[in-house]
Amino acid sequence: MQHFFTNRFEGVSEAPFASLNLGLHVNDTALHVNQNRARVKAKLGVPKLVFMDQVHGDRVVQIHSGDELPVCDAMITNVSNIALAVMVADCIPILYYDEVHQAIGVAHAGRAGTLLQVGQKCARAMTEHFGTRLQELKIWMGPSIRSCCYEVGYEATQGLESFLHVKNGNYFLDLQNANLEAFLAMGIPREHISLSEVCTCCDHAYFSYRRDKITGRFAGVIAL
Ligand SMILES: [Zn+2]
């Protein structure tokens, strides 16, 4: 198994997408995005790299051939040499690995996905399809916007009141802890969960929608 999170460097896209933009939906030059995706695939050394058409939902799709173009926010597979990618620019990219059953997954968890429990649904899909035992599942949560920068309107805090920081009358959400606590409540051991401390809005090595609005997407990728 191999996995990593990309950053915005060593690609071919030009500003405001400079340079390793992996999103085809942000009005960057498609030729550049495809060259960037090919670079990530070459680094992985796998024949297939599957991206999702992400819609801030909770659908989990099982990947069989590696030629799928699923409309969903989570994917799982137990086929080797198929890499799964989750694109983000502030949302949490989540990667999953079941070493015992040799299965992987990815999920895209922003505020909407967190409320819909897409992260937990991806883990449960692995238990249903591959026999994954939650106490053996390993999870990586990648760079994402953190409570230092993730200010939201009051209406956006509903359902996430436990993960709210109020500073000077303004509301900031902690989506990382919302997902972490949900995974712990499922029985996934804390020592199996890796949580990046990088805030994408603070760290200019990553694309951030909140900071730049018109920008690229980086990705979490994983392959057996
Ligand atoms: Zn920040």
Side-chain angles (χ1 to χ4, degrees):
M1 186 279 298
Q2 54 178 328
H3 74 281
F4 57 85
F5 296 96
T6 65
N7 56 28
R8 67 181 302 162
F9 304 123
E10 296 181 48
V12 298
S13 292
E14 293 165 9
F17 307 107
S19 62
L20 194 70
N21 168 40
L22 300 170
L24 278 168
H25 61 293
V26 294
N27 283 326
D28 188 5
T29 307
L31 179 66
H32 290 166
V33 177
N34 287 325
Q35 287 177 354
N36 290 336
R37 289 182 172 191
R39 286 187 181 195
V40 173
K41 197 163 77 167
K43 185 175 174 185
L44 288 159
V46 295
K48 309 273 187 181
L49 173 59
V50 184
F51 287 84
M52 302 179 279
D53 183 356
Q54 299 171 191
V55 292
H56 295 280
D58 64 351
R59 182 166 175 247
V60 185
V61 171
Q62 184 175 357
I63 299 301
H64 299 280
S65 71
D67 296 319
E68 296 92 338
L69 291 166
V71 179
C72 62
D73 288 275
M75 298 186 285
I76 58 172
T77 194
N78 61 354
V79 181
S80 58
N81 290 319
I82 296 178
L84 305 180
V86 49
M87 289 182 288
V88 289
D90 290 336
C91 293
I92 310 174
I94 310 178
L95 310 179
Y96 304 76
Y97 178 47
D98 173 358
E99 184 174 13
V100 177
H101 298 88
Q102 285 298 298
I104 55 174
V106 297
H108 164 238
R111 188 180 63 87
T114 298
L115 281 167
L116 290 168
Q117 305 187 348
V118 67
Q120 299 101 297
K121 286 174 183 174
C122 186
R124 283 206 194 92
M126 292 180 71
T127 69
E128 289 162 18
H129 290 268
F130 307 130
T132 297
R133 292 183 288 265
L134 292 171
Q135 65 269 28
E136 292 167 345
L137 187 61
K138 292 195 172 72
I139 290 180
W140 293 267
M141 288 195 264
S144 49
I145 191 168
R146 300 189 63 116
S147 59
C148 45
C149 296
Y150 192 31
E151 184 179 356
V152 298
Y154 177 74
E155 66 286 352
T157 65
Q158 290 180 21
L160 294 163
E161 292 83 356
S162 305
F163 307 101
L164 187 61
H165 299 278
V166 183
K167 286 182 273 188
N168 302 322
N170 299 316
Y171 300 98
F172 296 82
L173 282 179
D174 182 351
L175 291 185
Q176 292 76 23
N177 262 310
N179 283 277
L180 175 63
E181 297 223 346
F183 288 138
L184 296 176
M186 295 179 81
I188 299 167
R190 179 64 186 87
E191 62 270 26
H192 288 185
I193 304 172
S194 169
L195 175 54
S196 169
E197 295 189 351
V198 172
C199 170
T200 44
C201 193
C202 290
D203 189 334
H204 288 253
Y206 297 89
F207 297 113
S208 169
Y209 178 79
R210 173 62 63 109
R211 186 184 64 228
D212 295 328
K213 293 294 177 281
I214 299 172
T215 191
R217 296 292 181 273
F218 68 96
V221 292
I222 186 166
L224 290 169

